[in-house]
Amino acid sequence: MVSSTTRDRILDALQQILIERGPSAATLEAVATAAAVSKGGLLYHFPSKAEMMTALIRRLAERAEAEFRQALEGDEGVTRVFLRVSLPQTSQEAALYWSIIAALRGNEDISAEAREIVHGIFARWSHLLHEEIGDPVLAETVRLVGDGLYLSALADLPQPDPAVLRALTDRLTEQAAVPASSREAVPAEEPRQG
């Protein structure tokens, strides 16, 4: 990806380093070199690695916003779009998200704002699924399936056969399309006596 602004070039360089070498390699010096800017030029745009990571996560959140719009306005519906985008489209995309998760788990160079943005993306999908499906158990089932697919792909674990994955997506999408009032209700668990 070739970006026109210095700020975008810096974020592109950060993204490439995260993909190729992981979060520990994404030093200010390495990013400045990869972006072909001086360290001072990088610091002008991003005074810290945390601010640089936050800007990259904001940029990824814009992509998520486009997916939310597609889920709400397109013909596929929230459930199908969520399950489709739960699988990274490329190995580079998977490597980038794996690096971001590693950075989030490492508690270094990640701002509270960046954490809130990532949390907000997952919370928004959950809200949209609950809203579309109307059944909290089925909505959580879909969410957990999508999250499992996502994390399995990021960790490079074995993926389901594509035909099974299509059947799974079709089945969950069909179940989500059934009006909540027509589904069998799951009884609430009785409180245990002491």
Side-chain angles (χ1 to χ4, degrees), residues 75-121:
D75 295 333
E76 291 179 283
V78 173
T79 301
R80 187 171 296 277
V81 170
F82 172 72
L83 291 171
R84 180 171 44 77
V85 302
S86 291
L87 286 172
Q89 300 303 303
T90 65
S91 59
Q92 284 197 327
E93 182 182 340
L96 173 63
Y97 291 132
W98 184 256
S99 289
I100 288 172
I101 288 172
L104 287 167
R105 294 288 304 147
N107 290 321
E108 60 185 65
D109 302 317
I110 298 288
S111 68
E113 177 189 354
R115 290 176 192 286
E116 288 173 21
I117 291 168
V118 171
H119 180 269
I121 292 168

